Amino acid sequence: MSLSFVDDHFQFAEMNIRYTGNMEETMAMVRRAVRMGYDCIVINTDIGQMMQESVNLVIFSCKSNEPPRKKKKKSGKERNVIPDPVIINCAELDTSMLEANGKRLRIFSRLTTTISSSTEVHLLMHHSQLKKYDLIAVRPSDDQILQTLSKKGDFVDIITYEQASTSVGWLNKSKIIQLCINDGITFEITYADALKDSSQRREVLTNGRQLLMSTKDGDGVVIASGAERMIDIRAPYDAANISVLFGIRPEFARKFVASNAKKALLRAESRKTLKGGVLVQTKEDLPKNLIVRLNVIEKIMRIPEFRAQLEIVTDEIEEKSKKDEIREETKKKLNVFVRVLNYVYTIMQCILKKREKNMWKKFLEFYRDSVRNVWRKVVWKLQKKLRINARWPVLWMENKLKSLPSRQFIQTLNASQQEQLSGIITEVELLSRCYNYFPEYLSDSDWKRLLQCETQKQRFNYIKFCHQKELKELKYETKRQLKVSEKLGTSKPTSGFAMLVGTTQRKRIADQRRLMNHLHNLQLNPKPALIVDCRFLNDLSSQALSQTLIQLSYLASENRDRRRSWPLYFFNFDIKNERILEGRDRYLSLTNSPRNVSLTISSSSYLNFFSPEEIIYLSPHAEFDLEEVCFKIEVQKKFKGFK
């Protein structure tokens, strides 16, 4: 299992799958990791403490007439045995999914041990079995061992700790941790212990947050599973999203299973290949602590051969500096040339504005956008060749806005809303000229939704959503037409009477089922009931509000179709808000049905209908987990007053 690395095809790494002695279970975990999308898998062999205490019992030697003599009690420490690394046969694994994506599977071996003294550091550093492993991980017992590793930790790749422990004292030593990271050592957080129970989860999150606070946005930290069972492994993106629980922003989440893991593997590879390096500097660039050695260099310069070589090097440096100066001068000249061209372009525009009957003005007015786009592309290419930081220019196209709001819709608005709508129309028109993914049609409801958006970004996202909706509808329509054409081409002629009988029979059965559910709902008891507090709807954006109301409609429809429905209440529902009222009419039309018995929407508080002693509050911030739902009187008394 030698280290071999391909930069172009590396994507995700699972840095810790524990080998517990069962080879079949380890192979099953590796297969699961491959199916989840990991292309680098590390098999971890954890030996625990490096030095284990060994105590020999007191032995008595008995003779016939003499009292037994005691032998000396031997107590001390022995080295823990480091086994050979686990060998995984890649031929037994199905890597077709990885190969289809242009990746290949790489499996590495890892040794993890706990170190509590400097003697153990020395023993581990010079152990003969160490060279057989690809990565070396260490659990330091205190900050002194961590300080030692920051200075002599060239043989260590990963520093880890007991994730659910409450006595990891070195996590707040940010300076020592940063020294280790600068030296190339990676720190590890595993999430398998957090999946077991709530107490361990709390400690894992606390320790992980404390470690990440000592780093710069999680640099030098990897997140692994530490799995001993198949159920403990999570997919790469799920593992990356776990970093959000540790206080990391989502845009930095991917590196914990990708780039940071890649750095650790590359460091382990360089430790087996690179033994040293030579830094060549000029005499003037030597650091201050080496100025004393300049006298030695001056003595060496008296040797003619060395002086000749030194002169050749200085000549090469001078030639390079001259070339760099020439490049900078050409860049400056070309920058001046680009500025002159811009000035000429602006002067031409001013001249053409004054001469109305000029032919060139008519040409530029007719092809203004195309001329402007060509000009900006030329300037951008020149800047790119000169290696000047330049962004892709804004290229103007034809106006794609073909559907304006109707007069009836404009008349329903007041003066301030009409003024706001005119500004939104100009904004959308400009967006249609520089944005390719623009919808072909915007209805009055779309303009109303754009009017409700508070920021420019929300309006841009809604326009993109309208375009995606059009594409989905077009795709659905083409699929439907294909299905209809296939049915017409392959179906056999059947009598219309048989089709009518089948459809009416199904409809009659469905109506009977709904009627029976309705009769059951009429026998509802007022308690227990489900209550949804809707005060949060006012704080949502328009898109989030529509998604939330869709979820509430799913809840109401599923509750209606149950054999025994629950009384369902939506309290604190702000009917005065136009957005919420429109969403209610659109998504919660179930309330207008004559057979609606279970759903009630009210703008009043739930405390007007139920006493606080009868309410069980379900919240993600609760201290206890709800494990069982039972509505007997004894259980209600048990949960009485639970918040």
Side-chain angles (χ1 to χ4, degrees):
M1 285 180 291
S2 62
L3 271 168
S4 58
F5 216 87
V6 179
D7 287 345
D8 298 336
H9 302 288
F10 177 84
Q11 191 172 11
F12 298 113
E14 170 55 67
M15 299 293 289
N16 190 349
I17 290 181
R18 292 190 178 183
Y19 174 68
T20 57
N22 190 348
M23 194 62 188
E24 294 181 358
E25 190 172 357
T26 304
M27 288 294 293
M29 288 191 288
V30 172
R31 291 191 188 98
R32 172 64 65 88
V34 171
R35 285 198 300 271
M36 286 181 172
Y38 290 104
D39 55 320
C40 286
I41 299 172
V42 179
I43 308 299
N44 182 19
T45 303
D46 196 339
I47 63 171
Q49 192 73 30
M50 185 64 191
M51 298 286 290
Q52 290 185 346
E53 294 184 359
S54 62
V55 178
N56 294 331
L57 297 175
V58 178
I59 302 174
F60 297 95
S61 61
C62 300
K63 293 185 179 179
S64 58
N65 297 323
E66 295 180 0
R69 292 182 300 175
K70 294 182 180 180
K71 288 190 176 181
K72 291 184 179 180
K73 183 179 179 181
K74 296 181 180 179
S75 63
K77 292 185 177 181
E78 294 182 356
R79 293 188 188 181
N80 199 349
V81 178
I82 298 179
D84 291 334
V86 181
I87 299 174
I88 302 294
N89 188 7
C90 295
E92 299 179 3
L93 303 174
D94 184 12
T95 60
S96 58
M97 293 177 62
L98 296 177
E99 292 173 358
N101 295 325
K103 298 182 290 184
R104 66 182 182 86
L105 179 63
R106 292 175 289 272
I107 297 179
F108 306 108
S109 60
R110 166 180 161 179
L111 176 68
T112 304
T113 182
T114 303
I115 292 180
S116 57
S117 65
S118 57
T119 306
E120 295 179 0
V121 174
H122 179 76
L123 290 175
L124 181 64
M125 187 187 305
H126 298 89
H127 205 286
S128 59
Q129 289 285 95
L130 205 68
K131 296 180 180 179
K132 297 181 181 180
Y133 286 88
D134 297 324
L135 289 98
I136 307 299
V138 168
R139 275 189 298 267
S141 59
D142 52 14
D143 54 346
Q144 293 181 357
I145 302 299
L146 189 67
Q147 182 79 29
T148 304
L149 293 175
S150 66
K151 297 177 180 178
K152 301 179 181 179
D154 296 336
F155 67 100
V156 176
D157 301 306
I158 297 172
I159 293 178
T160 184
Y161 58 93
E162 292 293 340
Q163 304 294 322
S165 176
T166 58
S167 59
V168 185
W170 53 265
L171 287 176
N172 55 357
K173 305 293 182 181
S174 58
K175 291 184 179 179
I176 306 177
I177 291 173
Q178 201 60 46
L179 284 174
C180 294
I181 292 173
N182 294 336
D183 197 31
I185 302 175
T186 303
F187 287 82
E188 181 191 44
I189 298 174
T190 59
Y191 55 82
D193 293 334
L195 304 176
K196 295 178 181 178
D197 59 4
S198 58
S199 60
Q200 291 188 3
R201 187 183 308 123
R202 191 180 300 112
E203 296 300 330
V204 169
L205 294 177
T206 302
N207 293 334
R209 279 178 175 269
Q210 197 167 4
L211 174 62
L212 290 172
M213 285 173 63
S214 303
T215 62
K216 298 178 181 178
D217 293 328
D219 292 339
V221 181
V222 296
I223 290 180
S225 65
E228 297 179 355
R229 301 172 300 168
M230 193 186 301
I231 198 173
D232 295 335
I233 305 175
R234 294 295 181 268
Y237 290 104
D238 295 335
N241 289 331
I242 290 175
S243 64
V244 180
L245 301 176
F246 297 108
I248 296 297
R249 288 186 291 178
E251 57 265 25
F252 297 141
R254 183 187 174 93
K255 67 180 180 181
F256 290 95
V257 293
S259 60
N260 290 353
K262 178 181 175 182
K263 289 178 183 177
L265 294 171
L266 286 174
R267 184 179 188 272
E269 184 181 12
S270 65
R271 192 179 66 250
K272 292 193 173 185
T273 56
L274 188 65
K275 298 298 181 183
V278 177
L279 177 63
V280 179
Q281 286 186 338
T282 59
K283 179 181 175 182
E284 291 78 10
D285 295 335
L286 284 174
K288 293 181 180 179
N289 56 353
L290 298 178
I291 292 176
V292 183
R293 302 183 184 180
L294 286 175
N295 298 326
V296 180
I297 296 174
E298 290 176 356
K299 290 180 181 179
I300 295 174
M301 286 179 64
R302 296 174 185 174
I303 303 171
E305 290 82 6
F306 182 78
R307 186 184 300 170
Q309 292 290 330
L310 189 64
E311 289 174 355
I312 292 170
V313 172
T314 53
D315 292 338
E316 291 177 355
I317 293 171
E318 289 177 358
E319 288 179 1
K320 287 182 180 179
S321 62
K322 287 180 181 179
K323 288 181 180 179
D324 293 335
E325 289 177 358
I326 293 169
R327 285 179 183 175
E328 289 179 358
E329 288 179 359
T330 52
K331 282 183 180 181
K332 290 179 181 179
K333 290 179 181 179
L334 286 171
N335 282 329
V336 172
F337 177 69
V338 170
R339 289 178 183 176
V340 170
L341 288 177
N342 284 324
Y343 289 144
V344 171
Y345 179 72
T346 53
I347 291 168
M348 286 177 63
Q349 282 186 340
C350 294
I351 293 171
L352 291 173
K353 284 180 181 179
K354 293 180 180 179
R355 297 181 181 180
E356 295 180 356
K357 297 181 180 180
N358 197 347
M359 181 181 67
W360 291 103
K361 181 184 177 182
K362 294 180 181 179
F363 175 78
L364 284 176
E365 284 181 353
F366 191 73
Y367 297 103
R368 181 180 295 171
D369 293 336
S370 59
V371 171
R372 187 187 298 166
N373 294 340
V374 171
W375 173 256
R376 289 181 177 177
K377 283 182 181 179
V378 169
V379 173
W380 177 75
K381 287 182 179 179
L382 283 173
Q383 290 176 345
K384 191 176 179 182
K385 286 184 178 180
L386 296 174
R387 296 179 181 178
I388 300 172
N389 294 329
R391 295 181 180 178
W392 177 255
V394 178
L395 303 179
W396 295 101
M397 298 172 288
E398 295 181 358
N399 186 10
K400 301 186 188 69
L401 182 61
K402 300 176 182 179
S403 55
L404 295 174
S406 62
R407 291 182 180 179
Q408 292 81 5
F409 173 69
I410 296 174
Q411 289 175 0
T412 57
L413 305 176
N414 54 26
S416 62
Q417 289 178 344
Q418 289 180 4
E419 185 178 357
Q420 185 181 359
L421 181 63
S422 62
I424 291 173
I425 290 172
T426 54
E427 180 184 325
V428 172
E429 184 178 355
L430 288 173
L431 182 62
S432 68
R433 294 186 61 192
C434 61
Y435 188 59
N436 292 325
Y437 303 100
F438 194 83
E440 294 182 359
Y441 178 75
L442 291 174
S443 61
D444 289 342
S445 61
D446 294 331
W447 286 108
K448 187 175 182 180
R449 189 65 64 86
L450 288 172
L451 193 62
Q452 292 172 355
C453 293
E454 297 177 355
T455 60
Q456 187 178 8
K457 184 178 180 181
Q458 290 180 1
R459 288 190 286 272
F460 173 73
N461 289 332
Y462 184 74
I463 287 172
K464 187 166 63 173
F465 167 73
C466 291
H467 177 70
Q468 292 174 354
K469 185 172 67 173
E470 283 184 355
L471 292 178
K472 286 182 180 179
E473 290 176 355
L474 182 62
K475 188 176 180 181
Y476 174 75
E477 186 65 25
T478 53
K479 282 186 177 180
R480 191 184 66 81
Q481 290 178 359
L482 285 173
K483 286 182 180 179
V484 170
S485 61
E486 288 177 359
K487 285 182 180 179
L488 291 175
T490 58
S491 61
K492 297 180 180 180
T494 55
S495 62
F497 178 73
M499 293 175 64
L500 181 63
V501 169
T503 53
T504 53
Q505 182 73 11
R506 286 195 298 270
K507 187 177 180 181
R508 186 173 61 82
I509 293 171
D511 290 339
Q512 287 180 355
R513 187 183 294 112
R514 292 194 190 96
L515 182 60
M516 291 299 295
N517 289 338
H518 179 64
L519 293 175
H520 286 304
N521 292 338
L522 292 175
Q523 303 172 1
L524 278 177
N525 295 322
K527 298 175 185 178
L530 289 177
I531 301 172
V532 179
D533 190 0
C534 299
R535 281 179 290 183
F536 65 95
L537 296 179
N538 294 324
D539 300 330
L540 299 178
S541 62
S542 57
Q543 190 172 359
L545 177 63
S546 61
Q547 295 293 330
T548 306
L549 291 175
I550 288 171
Q551 296 296 324
L552 292 177
S553 67
Y554 289 161
L555 174 63
S557 60
E558 289 291 332
N559 183 49
R560 178 196 61 187
D561 295 337
R562 292 183 76 249
R563 184 174 178 83
R564 290 284 183 181
S565 300
W566 293 23
L568 181 61
Y569 297 93
F570 293 163
F571 285 119
N572 293 318
F573 204 90
D574 191 3
I575 304 177
K576 296 180 181 179
N577 193 333
E578 293 183 359
R579 294 192 304 134
I580 297 177
L581 188 61
E582 182 185 354
R584 186 200 66 176
D585 297 337
R586 183 177 180 183
Y587 299 109
L588 297 176
S589 58
L590 177 65
T591 55
N592 300 326
S593 175
R595 292 186 178 180
N596 176 35
V597 180
S598 59
L599 179 60
T600 303
I601 296 178
S602 175
S603 60
S604 59
S605 175
Y606 53 86
L607 296 176
N608 297 334
F609 294 85
F610 300 93
S611 62
E613 297 178 352
E614 298 175 344
I615 298 174
I616 299 175
Y617 293 91
L618 301 180
S619 171
H621 305 290
E623 297 180 358
F624 305 101
D625 296 333
L626 183 65
E627 298 178 353
E628 186 179 359
V629 178
C630 183
F631 292 103
K632 294 182 180 179
I633 298 174
E634 293 82 9
V635 178
Q636 286 184 355
K637 289 181 179 179
K638 182 180 178 182
F639 283 95
K640 188 175 181 181
F642 171 73
K643 294 186 179 181

